[in-house]
Amino acid sequence: MAMNIKKGDTVVRLSGDGGKDRDLTTHQGKVIATLPKENKVVVEGLNMVTCHIKPRRQGEEGGIMKREAAIHACKVQVVCPKCGKPTRVGHKVEGGKKTRVCKKCGAEL
């Protein structure tokens, strides 16, 4: 199955993670990376996890760090840059070139 989300897209989270920000379903962020084989995306500021970093060299400090973890692509939706609403992605072929379009306003994504 092909993913309709690309790196650099602005997306909104559709379903919560059940954690501390469960009620905040209007979280938006920019896609940092896509993992098409796993059908997942990494979104800036969403699905934050705690990592325990071990010092690798002498004199280096370890500690606890927060970073983004991958989230399923079906749990996020692309936000149209023109109308600013979460939308499904449509495709249009013009002159042999396939482009992604907004299903609500028809603008190119």
Side-chain angles (χ1 to χ4, degrees), residues 14-64:
L14 296 175
S15 61
D17 59 355
K20 63 183 175 298
D21 49 25
R22 169 182 44 216
D23 301 329
L24 306 172
T25 55
T26 56
H27 273 276
Q28 282 192 4
K30 201 171 207 174
V31 176
I32 300 169
T34 59
L35 309 165
K37 286 184 181 176
E38 300 170 26
N39 202 25
K40 292 185 176 188
V41 291
V42 180
V43 183
E44 190 175 43
L46 290 187
N47 200 22
M48 299 299 283
V49 293
T50 305
C51 285
H52 296 264
I53 306 297
K54 189 175 180 179
R56 295 289 172 200
R57 296 188 195 107
Q58 193 173 6
E60 191 176 291
E61 282 190 29
I64 299 170

